[in-house]
Amino acid sequence: MNIAPGKTEASGIPFDQARVDRLMEEAGIDVLFATSKHNTQYLLGGYKFIFFAAMDAIGHSRYLPIVLYEKGGPEHAAYIGNKMEGGEHENHPFWTPTLHAACWGTLDAANLAVEHLQKIGKQAARIGIEPAFLPSDAYSLIRKALPDAKLIDATSMLERMRAIKTEAELEKLRTASELITDSMLATIAWAREGTTKTDIIEQLRREETNRGAHFEYCLLTLGASHNRAASSQAWKQGEVLSIDSGGNYHGYIGDLCRMGILGEPDAELEDLLSEIESVQQAAFSKVKAGTLGGDMIAHAESVLKASKVAAYTDFFAHGMGLITHEAPFLMTNHPVTYEGTYAAKPLEKNMVLSVETTMLHSTRGFIKLEDTVAVTDTGYAMFGDRGRGWNRGGVA
């Protein structure tokens, strides 16, 4: 299905066109060929097809959404989607002048993309692709059908595109963080002696869903254990609980960690959490537009190194947005395998960071704080900044 094939200009472009065009020019890209869910969602202004939200596979193939965007030529933009997405367009029209809602797999989607590129005269262009999100059968078809085209890895360019959040994106990230925090605190208060890890995780899922968030995961520990997987382990009086959850609101991720205690925290527990808080605050103190990302990391690490808990405690910070680890990339292979390419670059206003300090104590267990902050001109704004001390269980 080709919607409005004769339309010659685009309207309602949902991203900063001048910035995207500049990033494409710097990367040597004439046409974007976006195929990941997060980048197609970004380029479509937040849209993601609900039918394939949880799973891509169907029949013998898989769902492959494609957004084609020509640098400086939004009137030539196209969205290629599943056949059922025609109904989505009827209710909430896509901004792209061309829509092909006709596909059931990777090859028919790739074929339509090739035909569109040929139609707009870009069969020999420098095409920016996402290698990690372009199936091999679709890649082979494109390579054979467009022998004169140059396929360029657009991953870095697309990451840079998403690094600076709009005010609307910041609000979604704030909402996601608030919903996750509220859900974790309610779950801690609900859980009591004898409640299992599996039950606590299921309760958190309900809390997040009932608040309008989409539950994605919960990493949970009880007592002295460092194992964060679901199990039949039950919470006991005097034990700590670490609850680390990721969920999203309209696709934007909330990812935070809070601590619980069944009973009252003793002096040692208060002291241990205070050590973690000192490292977190050291990191926050360096978050400001213009500060080198690596300087923020180095300052937090220096405070941790001087701490009495340094031998069994780790500090980490990473970018947040439509995915849990995105630009700015501040640390190399720690623990996720990517290069800390932003360590030598200044933080910019409206970047969003996850800041986390994790202690693996031999007898008191897994003790951690993880917070989400947005970079501002004068410092930072924290999202979901409640419950950062010891939260009592069994009080709901």
Side-chain angles (χ1 to χ4, degrees), residues 107-376:
L107 295 180
D108 48 356
N111 263 317
L112 285 170
V114 167
E115 290 175 7
H116 184 77
L117 289 171
Q118 291 170 333
K119 182 178 179 180
I120 64 174
K122 293 297 178 180
Q123 61 268 34
R126 300 170 298 176
I127 301 171
I129 64 170
E130 298 186 76
F133 297 93
L134 182 60
S136 61
D137 57 354
Y139 175 86
S140 296
L141 185 155
I142 295 163
R143 185 68 284 172
K144 183 177 180 179
L146 302 174
D148 296 325
K150 182 178 181 181
L151 303 186
I152 297 172
D153 186 346
T155 303
S156 178
M157 177 256 137
L158 291 165
E159 289 167 347
R160 293 174 64 197
M161 174 185 73
R162 302 195 320 273
I164 311 299
K165 274 56 178 180
T166 64
E167 293 302 319
E169 288 181 289
L170 289 177
E171 187 55 35
K172 289 175 182 176
L173 284 161
R174 180 192 301 277
T175 300
S177 300
E178 298 289 342
L179 295 177
I180 299 303
T181 300
D182 287 345
S183 299
M184 292 194 298
L185 297 182
T187 299
I188 293 171
W190 167 87
R192 58 200 65 245
E193 188 169 11
T195 307
T196 69
K197 291 176 71 177
T198 298
D199 290 339
I200 295 170
I201 292 170
E202 175 58 19
Q203 180 66 20
L204 180 67
R205 183 193 66 77
R206 294 192 191 101
E207 294 284 355
E208 292 184 7
T209 301
N210 289 341
R211 285 174 168 81
H214 179 82
F215 174 81
E216 295 194 350
Y217 65 84
C218 175
L219 303 174
L220 183 74
T221 68
L222 297 176
S225 174
H226 299 160
N227 186 316
R228 299 204 284 171
S231 75
S232 60
Q233 180 186 359
W235 204 5
K236 298 178 182 178
Q237 192 69 24
E239 288 186 337
V240 306
L241 172 153
S242 167
I243 188 165
D244 185 334
S245 181
N248 76 67
Y249 178 75
H250 292 210
Y252 286 82
I253 304 297
D255 181 16
L256 302 100
C257 185
R258 295 293 182 260
M259 296 301 302
I261 178 74
L262 198 55
E264 293 295 324
D266 57 32
E268 182 183 34
L269 287 177
E270 294 280 17
D271 184 53
L272 293 174
L273 192 57
S274 176
E275 292 290 333
I276 288 177
E277 174 70 349
S278 294
V279 180
Q280 291 289 99
Q281 292 298 330
F284 301 153
S285 72
K286 295 298 182 182
V287 175
K288 178 182 177 181
T291 299
L292 294 183
D295 288 348
M296 183 268 283
I297 299 296
H299 183 61
E301 289 182 329
S302 69
V303 171
L304 175 57
K305 186 177 180 180
S307 169
K308 60 187 178 184
V309 302
Y312 44 90
T313 304
D314 181 68
F315 172 77
F316 182 44
H318 57 88
M320 290 284 297
L322 282 167
I323 61 177
T324 54
H325 287 255
E326 64 176 38
F329 300 106
L330 301 170
M331 304 177 75
T332 297
N333 301 334
H334 188 103
V336 184
T337 51
Y338 51 71
E339 296 296 317
T341 51
Y342 278 74
K345 299 177 182 179
L347 297 174
E348 298 182 59
K349 181 182 178 181
N350 289 10
M351 284 182 167
V352 177
L353 312 176
S354 175
V355 179
E356 49 189 292
T357 304
T358 305
M359 179 188 299
L360 302 180
H361 196 280
S362 60
T363 60
R364 305 315 299 264
F366 192 102
I367 304 176
K368 174 180 179 178
L369 287 176
E370 181 173 10
D371 299 294
T372 299
V373 298
V375 180
T376 69

Side-chain angles (χ1 to χ4, degrees), residues 34-73:
T35 51
S36 65
K37 283 183 178 178
H38 50 282
N39 282 318
T40 56
Q41 179 180 347
Y42 184 91
L43 292 166
L44 291 174
Y47 167 78
K48 182 167 64 175
F49 187 29
I50 190 172
F51 190 83
F52 293 103
M55 182 182 296
D56 294 338
I58 188 165
H60 295 300
S61 189
R62 55 156 286 184
Y63 174 58
L64 184 64
I66 303 174
V67 173
L68 297 172
Y69 171 74
E70 178 186 352
K71 179 183 63 182

